[in-house]
Amino acid sequence: MDQMRRGLMGVIAAVAASGSIKEALAASAPTLAEHPMVARVWHGRTPLDKAEEYRQYLFDVGVKKIATLPGNRGVQMMVAKNAEQGEFMVISYWDSVDAIKGYAGADYTKVHDLSRDKDFLIDKESLVHHFDLDVNLWQS
């Protein structure tokens, strides 16, 4: 067992000396992006009794499609429920505004409605918001 420990310690020392550990730790530190991706943020609300059905619909028809579009780098769907309603947020990540325009058209700040949104959503919002993604750090 001591021989195994000494062997492992030798490997760890060699890796540390090579700088690999330092590089790995530095890679997990937040940095500002030189050429940030663009985050597209959509928000909507449903009555509580329609929230679960809309959740599945939004995933099947919206999120899955977004994930396949050229220039898309990822997508997240968030759901919160209270006693009266379901609240949804979709954040999609894009290479550029031009990539978003390829999906949403020249007037890319307008909401790209799904065909059944009118059956679910309360007070539909007409605009989506866009942000430069300056820092993107995920801790595992």
Side-chain angles (χ1 to χ4, degrees):
M1 191 65 130
D2 282 336
Q3 191 173 15
M4 181 187 271
R5 269 194 214 128
R6 276 192 296 253
L8 286 174
M9 293 304 288
V11 169
I12 291 170
V15 169
S18 74
S20 296
I21 289 178
K22 184 178 179 182
E23 290 171 15
L25 291 174
S28 67
T31 59
L32 283 172
E34 205 170 304
H35 303 286
M37 286 187 285
V38 178
R40 179 178 170 92
V41 181
W42 171 87
H43 173 262
R45 297 178 301 122
T46 67
L48 182 61
D49 63 341
K50 294 184 177 184
E52 198 55 39
E53 183 181 0
Y54 187 69
R55 177 181 171 267
Q56 189 65 53
Y57 172 72
L58 180 60
F59 175 72
D60 289 338
V61 177
V63 171
K64 284 182 176 181
K65 179 181 179 181
I66 289 169
T68 67
L69 296 171
N72 179 264
R73 294 297 178 168
V75 60
Q76 297 174 310
M77 182 176 88
M78 293 161 248
V79 181
K81 296 177 187 172
N82 63 35
E84 294 89 32
Q85 64 187 20
E87 187 171 4
F88 297 84
M89 184 173 295
V90 174
I91 305 175
S92 54
Y93 301 93
W94 301 84
D95 287 333
S96 64
V97 169
D98 286 337
I100 296 170
K101 288 179 180 179
Y103 156 66
D107 199 0
Y108 69 96
T109 61
K110 290 203 174 184
V111 170
H112 187 81
D113 291 320
L114 301 177
S115 61
R116 293 187 55 212
D117 278 355
K118 63 187 175 309
D119 299 335
F120 294 101
L121 295 176
I122 303 167
D123 301 326
K124 279 188 349 108
E125 295 179 7
S126 60
L127 299 175
V128 292
H129 300 279
H130 297 88
F131 299 89
D132 287 340
L133 185 62
D134 281 337
V135 177
N136 187 17
L137 174 66
W138 290 94
Q139 301 289 351
S140 51

